[in-house]
Amino acid sequence: MAATIYPPTSPEVAHKRRDLAPDVQAAFEAFGRQVFADGALDTKTKQLIAVAIAHVTQCPYCIEGHTKAAQRAGATAQELMEAVWVAAEMRAGGAYAHAAIMIASLSEEPLR
């Protein structure tokens, strides 16, 4: 990851996280292994979904990690970019859909 405001990942951070809550860390890792295992969806598809969601949640660690995992699972650069475009459309679609709340509020008495 390029130099950013985010601290770099490191073995020391991973060890500290595990030391502070070992049982939770172990459960989280087991959960992740199960979630990304082949099932009704294959691992590559799950990783493409993860890349898309990582862009919506704007997690740089997730973007980097799941991009690499998606590539290891066989995803191409073109598939990854399409996943990001799907995420962008969905995020924009959410703002568009929520305009209904603003439109409904137009008829209400303004707060003073």
Side-chain angles (χ1 to χ4, degrees):
M1 188 176 345
T4 68
I5 62 170
Y6 298 98
T9 58
S10 69
E12 294 78 26
V13 171
H15 291 306
K16 186 68 168 178
R17 189 182 295 123
R18 178 175 269 98
D19 290 346
L20 290 170
D23 294 341
V24 177
Q25 181 68 34
F28 186 72
E29 289 172 3
F31 178 63
R33 282 191 301 276
Q34 185 63 42
V35 166
F36 286 101
D38 281 334
L41 296 173
D42 62 27
T43 299
K44 179 178 124 177
T45 300
K46 290 179 179 185
Q47 288 297 341
L48 287 167
I49 292 167
V51 169
I53 292 169
H55 280 78
V56 172
T57 61
Q58 298 177 322
C59 175
Y61 304 107
C62 297
I63 292 169
E64 182 178 19
H66 288 287
T67 296
K68 290 176 181 178
Q71 288 179 307
R72 284 192 303 272
T76 66
Q78 291 80 11
E79 289 171 322
L80 285 157
M81 193 66 236
E82 279 194 29
V84 172
W85 280 117
V86 169
E89 193 283 336
M90 292 301 294
R91 187 159 183 159
Y96 177 80
H98 278 80
I101 297 167
M102 182 272 302
I103 291 167
S105 298
L106 289 174
S107 61
E108 296 175 5
E109 189 66 29
L111 296 176
R112 299 193 194 264

